[in-house]
């Protein structure tokens, strides 16, 4: 750190992403990427002609993609915002709304929320999840603070019902409520139908998980027109070309081929349920998941020990420090064959080791 860094950033701890090994020798089940390739139309769209067009700036209005998303999800184009990953959108939301009244989120949730709160000097009101990792939605009602909830939640995989979300949105009319639906395509009830009813609701989504486009960096959000206008103001005040031409194009292709996404999500959900059964048989406690990952623990072996034993056998998962999460590993759901290999290795590890 240099002595020039703004004082309030000096003690700030940045978000720590999951490992991205340079060699692909691992079965990679650690960052909730999709094991299937993007929609076939994506590869077909990557032509020399499109590469030639990289000399031109991308469309700052992102109109083509916003129109396609609006049509697929039956909203107006003015209700759609797109960003360079949903992280980019969350950044704008915290920039816009967190400082005024402070921001509430759970103790065990997506790690970026607390980073953004610190970045923008917002007072964070952190509600612990209950012992079973469920979220008591009543704590978020009538708060008059910005609320950010991942639904389904990460890394637990648990979700709230639409009526619980609606209660939070309805009872905080003077504050913005953000529902981060990064995993909604794998289960759970979307809050999207509520955006026409509540001007304080934002639904944030990503192409990274269900659409197999983590490396393209593309996120989208739905909200009332006024909130979308706020976000556009901030985007035009920082980087109006934040989404590159190729990503815009490939995003459109993916939306056009939405059936492919539905099919791959269905496959992942089926593999998830098979894996839950196997892990439970082996003796794991598995939190019921509406996502493309599982949060699970095994008696007598810590999350870190499981992580290390799996890594030694060529499988990457994620474990988290922290009193309440240290016993668990988070396992991204891969293909059937990847998960068969994973359960095979897990059987060996749980049978063999001395982890006292
Ligand atoms: C993966 C994830 C994101 C970030 O997604 P990007 O679009 O890749 O930036 C946001 N929120 C949650 C809860 C996630 O798990």
């Amino acid at each position: 750190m240099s002595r020039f860094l703004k004082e309030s950033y000096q003690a700030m701890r940045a978000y720590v992403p999951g490992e991205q090994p340079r060699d692909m020798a691992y079965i990679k089940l650690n960052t909730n990427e999709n094991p299937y390739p993007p929609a076939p139309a994506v590869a077909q769209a990557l032509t020399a002609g499109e590469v030639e067009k990289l000399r031109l700036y991308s469309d700052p209005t992102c109109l083509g993609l916003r129109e396609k998303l609006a049509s697929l999800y039956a909203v107006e184009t003015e209700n759609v915002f797109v960003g360079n990953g949903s992280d980019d959108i969350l950044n704008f939301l915290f920039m816009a709304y967190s400082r005024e009244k402070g921001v509430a989120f759970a103790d065990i949730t997506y790690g970026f929320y607390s980073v953004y709160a610190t970045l923008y000097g917002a007072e964070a009101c952190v509600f612990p999840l209950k012992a079973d990792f469920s979220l008591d939605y009543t704590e978020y009602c009538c708060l008059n603070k910005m609320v950010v909830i991942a639904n389904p939640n990460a890394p637990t995989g648990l979700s709230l019902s639409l009526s619980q979300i609606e209660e939070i949105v309805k009872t905080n009319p003077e504050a913005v409520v953000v529902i981060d639906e990064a995993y909604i395509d794998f289960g759970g009830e979307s809050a999207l139908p509520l955006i026409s009813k509540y001007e304080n609701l934002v639904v944030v989504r990503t192409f990274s998980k269900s659409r197999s486009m983590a490396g393209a960096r593309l996120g989208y959000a739905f909200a009332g027109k006024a909130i979308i206008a706020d976000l556009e103001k901030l985007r035009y005040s920082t980087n109006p070309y934040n989404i590159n031409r190729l990503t815009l194009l490939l995003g459109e292709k993916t939306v056009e081929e939405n059936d492919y996404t539905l099919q791959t999500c269905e496959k992942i959900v089926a593999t998830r349920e098979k894996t839950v059964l196997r892990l439970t048989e082996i003796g794991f406690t598995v939190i019921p998941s509406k996502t493309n990952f599982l949060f699970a623990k095994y008696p007598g072996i810590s999350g870190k020990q499981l992580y290390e034993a799996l890594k030694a056998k060529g499988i990457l998962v994620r474990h988290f420090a922290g009193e309440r999460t240290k016993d668990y590993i988070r396992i991204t759901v891969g293909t059937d064959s990847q998960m068969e290999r994973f359960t095979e290795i897990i059987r060996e590890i749980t049978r063999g080791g001395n982890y006292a």
Side-chain angles (χ1 to χ4, degrees):
M1 182 166 61
S2 83
R3 61 198 160 88
F4 308 109
L5 185 65
K6 182 172 161 169
E7 202 179 311
S8 63
Y9 291 167
Q10 288 182 14
M12 186 171 74
R13 279 207 282 161
Y15 177 72
V16 183
E19 286 168 272
Q20 295 293 351
R22 301 258 310 225
D23 58 85
M24 284 314 274
Y26 291 101
I27 294 183
K28 201 168 170 302
L29 309 177
N30 69 330
T31 51
N32 297 345
E33 288 144 329
N34 197 307
Y36 299 106
V42 165
Q44 286 155 22
L46 277 174
T47 60
E50 292 301 333
V51 171
E52 191 273 336
K53 281 195 216 145
L54 280 175
R55 60 191 185 77
L56 303 171
Y57 280 109
S58 54
D59 169 16
T61 70
C62 307
L63 199 59
L65 177 60
R66 287 169 54 227
E67 281 172 351
K68 290 210 157 66
L69 285 165
S71 147
L72 177 63
Y73 292 109
V75 298
E76 304 290 318
T77 309
E78 293 77 18
N79 296 122
V80 184
F81 182 79
V82 290
N84 187 322
S86 56
D87 290 338
D88 191 35
I89 301 177
L90 292 167
N91 179 34
F92 286 130
L93 287 165
F94 275 81
M95 190 190 287
Y97 306 118
S98 66
R99 180 75 194 267
E100 291 302 312
K101 302 177 170 177
V103 54
F105 46 84
D107 63 338
I108 301 169
T109 189
Y110 188 42
F112 238 130
Y113 305 153
S114 63
V115 175
Y116 286 135
T118 310
L119 183 64
Y120 294 110
E123 197 185 322
C125 169
V126 179
F127 290 115
L129 297 178
K130 290 192 271 187
D132 63 358
F133 293 131
S134 65
L135 181 150
D136 179 0
Y137 78 96
T138 61
E139 291 174 328
Y140 296 81
C141 294
C142 308
L143 271 186
N144 194 30
K145 290 179 195 299
M146 182 186 183
V147 170
V148 184
I149 293 178
N151 192 50
N153 195 14
T156 65
L158 292 171
S159 64
L160 295 178
S161 71
L162 183 55
S163 60
Q164 291 171 334
I165 299 275
E166 179 159 15
E167 205 52 33
I168 296 168
V169 179
K170 195 198 302 182
T171 59
N172 287 288
E174 298 307 315
V176 170
V177 176
V178 176
I179 306 299
D180 181 347
E181 295 190 349
Y183 300 101
I184 201 70
D185 296 329
F186 304 103
E189 277 180 283
S190 177
L192 176 58
L194 303 179
I195 63 145
S196 54
K197 209 165 152 192
Y198 299 99
E199 60 176 12
N200 60 324
L201 171 65
V202 188
V203 172
V204 181
R205 295 201 187 158
T206 177
F207 281 67
S208 296
K209 279 88 187 215
S210 60
R211 289 193 164 92
S212 306
M213 297 263 277
R217 312 305 303 130
L218 189 57
Y220 58 112
F222 301 111
K225 293 172 189 183
I227 282 185
I228 300 296
D230 295 346
L231 296 174
E232 288 296 2
K233 186 182 216 172
L234 295 178
R235 197 171 67 88
Y236 274 78
S237 305
T238 47
N239 178 6
Y241 305 111
N242 57 336
I243 310 179
N244 73 72
R245 292 185 78 82
L246 289 178
T247 292
L248 281 175
L249 173 72
L250 305 184
E252 286 180 33
K253 295 296 169 191
T254 311
V255 175
E256 281 170 17
E257 227 175 327
N258 196 54
D259 282 354
Y260 175 86
T261 297
L262 298 179
Q263 283 159 18
T264 47
C265 288
E266 226 173 84
K267 278 203 270 187
I268 289 166
V269 168
T271 308
R272 178 185 77 203
E273 294 311 313
K274 268 188 261 179
T275 310
V276 172
L277 289 180
R278 290 207 193 103
L279 285 174
T280 310
E281 264 167 33
I282 294 168
F284 273 81
T285 304
V286 186
I287 310 290
S289 170
K290 291 262 167 39
T291 65
N292 68 337
F293 59 81
L294 295 169
F295 203 49
K297 68 172 176 181
Y298 188 82
I301 312 183
S302 73
K304 186 159 185 283
Q305 288 169 326
L306 283 170
Y307 158 83
E308 281 166 359
L310 283 162
K311 188 170 180 181
K313 295 279 186 180
I315 298 180
L316 278 185
V317 296
R318 193 139 187 211
H319 74 96
F320 297 87
E323 218 17 66
R324 300 177 68 195
T325 47
K326 66 179 170 34
D327 291 341
Y328 287 80
I329 50 172
R330 193 195 65 189
I331 311 138
T332 304
V333 178
T335 61
D336 270 336
S337 76
Q338 287 177 324
M339 300 321 279
E340 271 156 32
R341 176 81 187 139
F342 164 78
T343 39
E344 201 177 294
I345 301 291
I346 271 288
R347 269 204 188 91
E348 282 173 24
I349 292 169
T350 53
R351 257 200 310 254
N354 177 8
Y355 293 95

